């Protein structure tokens, strides 16, 4: 999180909230925050949104992030796995969940540098 704050410092502040973090643009820049993610309109869209960055999550971490019961998240993950939208790795308490990698694309978003001023 520290590296993210350092990179974004010229443009915005990253502030902790009770439910996670929020991005607050600096005044005077005339910019708004835009999320670069396709909208997902399906039953377990919130779970898929958290898994979309390619990182692995435990079901308990997903439950905390979604403010849902662990069993609710486990059911969602089982349904998404049956549909081929997520994959489990590991067993028992070390089990983590990820979205399947997209062939030909890196799983993390690489930004080359600051965007040009408009």
């Amino acid at each position: 999180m520290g590296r993210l704050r350092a990179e974004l410092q010229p443009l915005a502040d990253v502030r902790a909230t009770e439910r996670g973090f929020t991005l607050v643009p600096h005044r005077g820049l005339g910019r708004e925050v835009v999320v670069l993610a396709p909208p997902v309109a399906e039953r377990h869209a919130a779970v898929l949104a958290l898994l979309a960055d390619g990182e692995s999550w435990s079901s308990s971490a997903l439950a905390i992030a979604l403010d849902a019961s662990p069993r609710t998240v486990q059911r969602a993950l089982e349904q998404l796995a049956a549909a081929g939208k997520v994959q489990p790795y590991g067993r028992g308490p070390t089990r983590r969940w990820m979205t399947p990698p997209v062939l030909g694309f890196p799983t993390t978003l690489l930004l080359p540098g600051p965007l040009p001023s408009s």
Side-chain angles (χ1 to χ4, degrees):
M1 190 49 89
R3 285 185 284 176
L4 177 63
R5 280 189 170 117
E7 288 294 321
L8 291 175
Q9 195 282 325
L11 303 171
D13 291 325
V14 179
R15 296 187 186 150
T17 68
E18 288 182 10
R19 294 188 49 104
F21 295 89
T22 184
L23 187 62
V24 182
H26 293 306
R27 292 181 185 202
L29 289 179
R31 296 184 180 169
E32 61 185 66
V33 175
V34 178
V35 177
L36 299 176
V40 178
E42 64 177 70
R43 186 167 179 210
H44 304 298
V47 175
L48 289 173
L50 289 172
L51 294 172
D53 66 354
E55 295 296 321
S56 63
W57 287 69
S58 67
S59 59
S60 59
L62 286 167
I64 291 168
L66 296 169
D67 196 23
S69 74
R71 186 62 191 130
T72 297
V73 172
Q74 289 168 354
R75 273 194 228 94
L77 290 168
E78 289 165 5
Q79 291 172 6
L80 290 168
K85 295 181 179 183
V86 298
Q87 297 175 345
Y89 294 94
R91 299 187 89 103
T94 63
R95 177 170 269 193
R96 298 291 181 263
W97 294 86
M98 295 178 67
T99 54
V102 177
L103 298 177
F105 291 94
T107 57
T108 58
L109 178 63
L110 302 175
L111 298 175
L115 297 172
S117 300
S118 46

